[in-house]
Amino acid sequence: MEVEDGGAVSDRETGTHGGSPPGWPAAIGLLVTVVGAVGFVVAFVTNASTAWLGGSLAAALLGLGVALAYWGRDLAGDEVISGPYPAPHDDVPGAAALGGDLEQSAHVITRRRFLSRFLIAGVGVFAVSQAVILGALGPRPGRSLFVTAWRPGSRLVTFDGEPVTRDVLAAGGILVAFPEGHTDAADSQIALFHFIGGELKPQPGRETWSPEGFVAYSRICTHVGCTVAQYMDEVQMLACPCHQSTFDILDGARPLAGPARRPLPQLPLAIDPQGYLVAQSDFTEPVGPGFWDAG
Amino acid sequence: MSDRRLMRSLRTAFGVRRSPLRRAAGWLDENLGGGSRLLREELRHVFPDSWAFFLGEIALYCFILLVVTGIFLGLFFHASQAPVVYHGSYQPLVGVPMSDAYSSVLDLSFNVRAGLLVRQVHHWAALVFVAALMIHLLRMFFTGAYRRPRRINWVIGLSLLMLVGFNGLLGYSLPDDLLSGAGLRIAYSITESIPFLGPTLASLMFGGQFPASGIIARIYPVHIFLLPAGIAGLLGLHMGMLWLQRHTEFPGPGRDDRTIVGTPMVPAYALRTSGYLMLVAGVLTAFGGLLQINPVWLYGPYTPWDATTSAQPDWYMGWLEGAVRMFPGWDIQIGGFLLPAVFWPAVILPGLIFTPLFLWPWLDGMALRDGGFHNVLTLPSERPGRTAIGAGFVTFLTVLLVAGGDDVLASAFGLSLPVLLRTLQVLFFVAPPIVALLTYVVFRRRAQRWLATGR
Amino acid sequence: MSRSAVHNGERRGRRFCRAPGRPRLRRLAQLCVILVVLVVVAAGPAGASPQASPSAALEASPGANPALRGVAVNPAPEVFAENCSGCHGSRGEGGFGPPLAAAGFASLVAPMVEKGGIQMPSFGDQLSDAQIQGVAEYVAAHIADPASHEAVVADGGEIYRLYCAGCHSTTGRGGALTRGRNAPDISQYPAAEALAAMILGRGDMPAFAGNTLDVRRQTAVGLYVGVLVDPPSPGGRGLGYLGPVTEGAVSAIALLILIFLAVWLAWKSRTAAP
């Protein structure tokens, strides 16, 4: 095997004892590449479907890949070479020497004990102080997690803004409602139900919260905050599609199954003289998932 | 070689002294100073041969593909939640209010030529990227490639896995669709669950109470610049160390901790690896063109009062989702404060999983009392204990992953969801030790046979 | 520190010869790889859904199929009286079957008449295509509530995502609920089946008729479910529309393909020996 000076290794045939492998697989691959590339241009210009665009481009890439890979695998010879791994540090004066050199060069700093410690302290304090910039990223939560858009006397409206009267919701149905004027308030969304057969179990301290069998709960799951959108009519349960927390609608939305622990907050309802459903006040507990201060 | 002499004399006759390759190399020689000598040496850089060593390349080439497709997507995406009313070509959403971000993704999918192709290739590449990283990590683990001098590289690699997974989460949340928006809500609630600082941290990260109106705009520079720059930087370190330390090799004739045997960089390996780049790109482009992924127009825009079932994150977050589904609602009341249950599976558990992973090279070294240099890999059968621990760990993650899709699996296979969940909760404790034990027994016998017979 | 300590692969290093491989097996493997590539490329675009313009699924105007016009058939009112009024009432007011107030689009009625639903029998064998289309147009124009004609599919989508997707998923494929219950895959049936369930309620599903959803909104939801029954998939084959679970499983297939290619690529050098 002749090897030219200058680093180029040319004219090498394979190391096998047989004949050299054929070149036609690479040629076919490159042919597929050309067809694919042309096809891609045509597909693009004619606004063809994603399938044609992707298929032709994929063909071009795969053809090129097969050609190059085959070339590297079969046509470039199966030369196997060996060489040394870099020696471990104890064979070569590496890190140990580095430590010594560094110590020597940095002596000007380390020599002054007090000053260098002051330097470290100063840089440290400065670096830590910059963390305060993170405070610009957002507001402090304050009371926002404890307050929604519901106020005493807020009328219930549908997501279209239509006020909810007695006859909007037949018995056994579900209605999604918001405070009037706040149909974009994510934390205020409620699910409204209507029970006329006395199935609702009275909740201690909340006897006036469900006038005429209307009851409303927050739709934000107390587990991790998904919208509790699954209503099962036969068993009167409200379940969350995310992790299947299940709440008993007839019993204060207390959790029956799944990873939620706290019941869905109930909205105190009233019916005003004009027949509209209104809230008596905001929720008496934070809606949604629990957090430290909610205790 | 008579034809070469003929070519040489012909070239001299026609005044062409050197081949283009020679001329280009000569130019580099003159302009790089000492650098060209380094290049010359590295022409013969040795790469050991095994299919298992291509797994990292799958990941690397997925990253390249993601950057290329991502640049295209970035030219069209509007990172803004400003409300717009859609008036594009997808009829079932015309007149629906949505964010500018979601609308721009619809436009990209339906009105930009090759837009949907690039979007889908980008998403498939992201899924395969994380999968390749995990398989690559498992290969490292099961062959002992993390031992000195590659401990730092193991840590770098693990950091890359975390950054990539997180970037993927941010990426699929950018379109602001119903499915990914629900995931952001969950991320917010998980952050909220951290004691003392949780609500403040969540508000700072999201820029306000959920649904924060600036979260997409905030995710955008992190996803397209900050994390990719971090990934690229770590990747550079990772590959630089690989280059300097050389790749590990499987045991074989002529191979030991001082001698590396393999294929030279030029020409064979360079050809193979560039071919493989094209193959990776080709397979992912085929998937992106032929198989629909993430059809956000069917999911609808994110609104906080909509919900969907069969709601999962992308697969590589499935283990976290499964942990959250399986962990019971064990809230803890501490005086006037609440420690929500989700804190344990969503914040503590990832720490419990990743910390031993990060420390593994040192734990392994201490357990085997072997902190020496190793360049030759050990086969799984040679270390039955390590293989068993790895198998148990993989089983553990698999149980979590399956739990993450429990409602889809229950619905698809006609199983009862509560029964499936209960089964998985039992398997969570029972399956990993059983699998580990079985693996140990099987591999120990193989190791003993190998020691006895040498084969 | 001397560079030669890390200089590798020098020319004076050993070079190893190999015994020749088995040419026939090698060629067969090469052929397989190329065939796989060609098959994927050729079958892919053919097998994927045609580029449906997303709005093509929304052909909601009655009488869209010109081939059905002008064929001599029983007049649609007669067909209705004979076949439909028994369950739906002589004026579509309902009875054993649901009221037809929300049936204001022939595209909602025709598939239901032809294929039937869960409780409704199919009439595809008894009635000709022309008759089916005719009665569908008749119901839409004369039996349904006029308010139904104002339904807009996009409104239906918004209502669907608010009330329906939580159980049936955004793609309509259904899902597991708690307590061993399931919300069915509504893409299996004509969209009118979903309308009927919505109006009357069924099992765990409450009734949404009346003031919760008026006729116009009910029809809109029906139109949107019609989109979900045959959703546009411009991105290629829809993988079951179950979301990231299937997508993750399919990406494992991509990884396996790439690993297979790596095995192929490294096959020849796997036994490289000094």
Side-chain angles (χ1 to χ4, degrees):
Chain A
M1 294 292 171
E2 238 191 68
V3 172
E4 286 195 347
D5 207 43
V9 195
S10 60
D11 250 18
R12 176 188 307 131
E13 285 303 313
T14 70
T16 58
H17 298 306
S20 64
W24 61 262
I28 291 191
L30 291 169
L31 190 64
V32 169
T33 299
V34 170
V35 168
V38 169
F40 180 71
V41 171
V42 169
F44 191 93
V45 164
T46 60
N47 203 12
S49 70
T50 303
W52 282 109
L53 280 170
S56 54
L57 186 55
L61 288 164
L62 288 172
L64 192 55
V66 166
L68 286 172
Y70 177 78
W71 208 320
R73 195 188 90 123
D74 293 87
L75 299 180
D78 40 11
E79 182 190 13
V80 175
I81 58 176
S82 76
Y85 271 109
H89 65 90
D90 32 72
D91 277 20
V92 171
L98 177 66
D101 286 347
L102 196 59
E103 203 167 34
Q104 225 173 2
S105 321
H107 187 56
V108 136
I109 303 173
T110 54
R111 184 161 50 115
R112 297 173 188 271
R113 276 270 169 84
F114 171 73
L115 209 53
S116 52
R117 283 182 189 160
F118 204 8
L119 173 67
I120 294 171
V123 169
V125 167
F126 169 70
V128 166
S129 72
Q130 297 311 294
V132 78
I133 292 178
L134 292 173
L137 288 176
R140 235 34 37 81
R143 297 289 305 164
S144 63
L145 291 173
F146 294 87
V147 168
T148 71
W150 290 104
R151 294 288 173 274
S154 298
R155 281 206 299 201
L156 273 65
V157 297
T158 64
F159 78 100
D160 282 334
E162 293 165 14
V164 178
T165 58
R166 280 187 178 90
D167 29 273
V168 166
L169 184 60
I174 178 175
L175 188 74
V176 175
F178 296 84
E180 187 167 28
H182 295 278
T183 51
D184 58 347
D187 59 358
S188 309
Q189 53 178 310
I190 56 163
L192 180 71
F193 304 94
H194 188 196
F195 300 103
I196 51 178
E199 309 100 299
L200 270 182
K201 299 197 181 86
Q203 303 298 312
R206 298 182 175 186
E207 291 81 359
T208 60
W209 287 24
S210 4
E212 297 179 22
F214 285 98
V215 66
Y217 300 106
S218 165
R219 287 178 93 220
I220 306 176
C221 188
T222 53
H223 179 224
V224 276
C226 294
T227 309
V228 185
Q230 294 179 335
Y231 173 45
M232 283 168 283
D233 195 25
E234 269 180 1
V235 289
Q236 294 307 337
M237 290 182 194
L238 204 56
C240 183
C242 283
H243 310 114
Q244 292 83 44
S245 297
T246 312
F247 304 91
D248 187 350
I249 299 170
L250 298 175
D251 192 9
R254 65 178 184 85
L256 297 169
R261 178 48 83 239
R262 276 155 293 107
L264 297 174
Q266 183 177 352
L267 186 71
L269 293 176
I271 302 182
D272 74 1
Q274 287 81 40
Y276 293 109
L277 267 81
V278 298
Q280 293 180 29
S281 70
D282 197 356
F283 294 96
T284 56
E285 55 196 318
V287 298
F291 50 93
W292 185 251
D293 313 76
Chain B
M1 308 299 163
S2 59
D3 59 332
R4 260 199 19 245
R5 275 204 214 103
L6 174 63
M7 288 304 295
R8 205 186 288 171
S9 40
L10 278 174
R11 276 199 216 112
T12 319
F14 285 101
V16 175
R17 287 308 311 279
R18 301 186 297 172
S19 73
L21 202 58
R22 282 275 190 96
R23 279 207 298 259
W27 183 88
L28 270 180
D29 248 338
E30 285 160 32
N31 286 285
L32 272 184
S36 67
R37 182 167 58 90
L38 191 69
L39 273 180
R40 183 179 173 190
E41 286 162 6
E42 298 307 331
L43 285 180
R44 306 292 290 168
H45 190 102
V46 184
F47 283 94
D49 295 302
S50 169
W51 66 269
F53 301 159
F54 278 92
L55 299 173
E57 290 183 33
I58 299 178
L60 174 66
Y61 297 147
C62 283
F63 180 62
I64 292 173
L65 201 57
L66 282 167
V67 170
V68 169
T69 52
I71 290 172
F72 182 93
L73 296 176
L75 297 173
F76 294 96
F77 179 70
H78 298 176
S80 159
Q81 283 163 271
V84 301
V85 175
Y86 181 68
H87 286 294
S89 57
Y90 182 64
Q91 202 61 28
L93 285 174
V94 167
V96 172
M98 57 181 64
S99 63
D100 196 13
Y102 184 76
S103 174
S104 71
V105 175
L106 292 179
D107 285 338
L108 175 66
S109 301
F110 295 123
N111 300 113
V112 174
R113 273 195 210 189
L116 188 57
L117 173 68
V118 175
R119 239 198 88 215
Q120 298 198 151
V121 171
H122 193 80
H123 205 135
W124 282 118
L127 298 186
V128 174
F129 189 14
V130 187
L133 280 178
M134 289 199 188
I135 296 279
H136 176 64
L137 182 153
L138 287 177
R139 200 281 290 168
M140 296 293 160
F141 179 88
F142 283 114
T143 56
Y146 49 79
R147 295 173 296 172
R148 183 183 287 167
R150 294 175 181 82
R151 294 173 169 182
I152 296 178
N153 230 8
W154 167 268
V155 168
I156 293 177
L158 212 48
S159 310
L160 276 168
L161 176 63
M162 291 174 67
L163 288 186
V164 168
F166 189 59
N167 209 28
L169 166 69
L170 294 183
Y172 72 72
S173 302
L174 280 176
D176 199 24
D177 57 283
L178 182 55
L179 188 62
S180 63
L184 284 180
R185 168 75 239 202
I186 296 176
Y188 186 90
S189 307
I190 289 173
T191 314
E192 255 188 336
S193 76
I194 295 172
F196 304 115
L197 288 175
T200 307
L201 214 54
S203 186
L204 287 179
M205 271 173 56
F206 280 71
Q209 195 187 2
F210 195 87
S213 61
I215 186 58
I216 300 295
R218 181 164 291 189
I219 288 176
Y220 192 55
V222 176
H223 176 78
I224 71 169
F225 174 68
L226 189 60
L227 285 176
I231 292 168
L234 283 179
L235 194 57
L237 278 178
H238 194 74
M239 302 204 62
M241 291 184 67
L242 165 68
W243 195 269
L244 289 176
Q245 294 175 335
R246 307 291 184 270
H247 201 287
T248 51
E249 59 189 359
F250 281 109
R255 295 158 168 85
D256 56 49
D257 278 330
R258 297 302 179 106
T259 314
I260 184 172
V261 173
T263 307
M265 167 70 155
V266 172
Y269 194 81
L271 280 171
R272 290 180 208 175
T273 199
S274 43
Y276 201 63
L277 165 61
M278 298 301 157
L279 290 174
V280 169
V283 169
L284 287 171
T285 306
F287 271 64
L290 305 174
L291 300 174
Q292 185 166 274
I293 184 173
N294 196 225
V296 288
W297 53 90
L298 289 177
Y299 299 156
Y302 179 70
T303 51
W305 35 89
D306 293 342
T308 179
T309 187
S310 303
Q312 269 82 15
D314 273 2
W315 80 270
Y316 45 85
M317 304 299 293
W319 58 276
L320 192 63
E321 174 75 12
V324 169
R325 284 181 191 221
M326 288 207 296
F327 194 80
W330 292 335
D331 287 353
I332 298 178
Q333 204 82 26
I334 309 172
F337 298 103
L338 175 68
L339 186 55
V342 75
F343 175 68
W344 305 106
V347 180
I348 295 298
L349 182 70
L352 290 178
I353 290 177
F354 275 96
T355 306
L357 271 179
F358 270 103
L359 295 176
W360 181 256
W362 289 271
L363 295 174
D364 179 74
M366 283 185 330
L368 296 175
R369 285 190 211 109
D370 173 16
F373 251 64
H374 290 284
N375 290 307
V376 175
L377 301 169
T378 51
L379 298 173
S381 48
E382 294 176 49
R383 293 279 183 272
R386 174 183 73 204
T387 309
I389 291 176
F393 180 70
V394 169
T395 309
F396 173 74
L397 287 178
T398 306
V399 169
L400 288 178
L401 182 66
V402 169
D406 60 357
D407 61 338
V408 174
L409 292 170
S411 155
F413 295 110
L415 309 166
S416 156
L417 183 56
V419 169
L420 179 63
L421 188 65
R422 184 69 69 211
T423 310
L424 288 167
Q425 284 170 327
V426 169
L427 283 177
F428 176 84
F429 291 102
V430 159
I434 288 182
V435 170
L437 192 62
L438 280 174
T439 311
Y440 184 74
V441 166
V442 167
F443 277 89
R444 178 123 181 126
R445 283 172 50 185
R446 283 174 69 175
Q448 281 165 344
R449 197 170 64 224
W450 177 77
L451 276 170
T453 66
R455 193 42 269 161
Chain C
M1 187 165 46
S2 152
R3 280 289 311 173
S4 62
V6 294
H7 196 187
N8 70 332
E10 301 168 301
R11 224 149 288 109
R12 61 175 168 76
R14 290 156 282 166
R15 182 151 334 127
F16 309 117
C17 271
R18 280 182 64 239
R22 284 171 286 178
R24 201 186 300 167
L25 192 64
R26 190 175 56 214
R27 231 161 259 156
L28 190 61
Q30 290 157 5
L31 202 57
C32 280
V33 169
I34 293 176
L35 274 176
V36 162
V37 167
L38 287 175
V39 162
V40 161
V41 162
S49 303
Q51 166 80 32
S53 110
S55 50
L58 266 308
E59 280 283 293
S61 57
N65 191 339
L68 293 175
R69 291 217 189 97
V71 179
V73 292
N74 287 350
E78 268 186 43
V79 174
F80 182 85
E82 280 171 18
N83 297 284
C84 317
S85 56
C87 293
H88 290 289
S90 55
R91 285 167 292 111
E93 69 274 18
F96 181 67
L100 299 177
F105 285 83
S107 60
L108 281 176
V109 180
M112 191 64 162
V113 174
E114 187 190 333
K115 296 186 210 138
I118 292 177
Q119 282 163 334
M120 172 162 157
S122 79
F123 291 86
D125 298 326
Q126 297 152 257
L127 301 175
S128 70
D129 286 347
Q131 284 175 312
I132 292 174
Q133 187 63 26
V135 76
E137 289 172 24
Y138 171 73
V139 166
H142 301 287
I143 301 286
D145 191 323
S148 172
H149 300 150
E150 289 155 42
V152 174
V153 65
D155 290 344
E158 284 188 287
I159 299 167
Y160 180 88
R161 286 186 290 274
L162 181 63
Y163 282 113
C164 321
C167 290
H168 292 285
S169 104
T170 44
T171 53
R173 304 292 143 145
L177 306 174
T178 59
R179 305 256 162 147
R181 304 170 120 84
N182 274 283
D185 177 356
I186 59 178
S187 69
Q188 300 291 320
Y189 308 102
E193 181 67 42
L195 258 184
M198 209 171 66
I199 291 167
L200 301 173
R202 178 179 295 161
D204 268 326
M205 181 162 156
F208 286 90
N211 287 322
T212 313
L213 291 178
D214 61 11
V215 169
R216 180 177 62 88
R217 292 196 178 99
Q218 291 164 23
T219 314
V221 176
L223 287 175
Y224 190 75
V225 172
V227 173
L228 297 181
V229 166
D230 185 20
S233 62
R237 293 182 69 84
L239 300 170
Y241 300 100
L242 291 173
V245 175
T246 17
E247 291 165 2
V250 171
S251 71
I253 296 177
L255 185 63
L256 284 173
I257 293 175
L258 291 173
I259 291 177
F260 168 75
L261 288 170
V263 170
W264 168 74
L265 196 49
W267 190 252
K268 287 190 71 181
S269 30
R270 77 195 186 286
T271 52

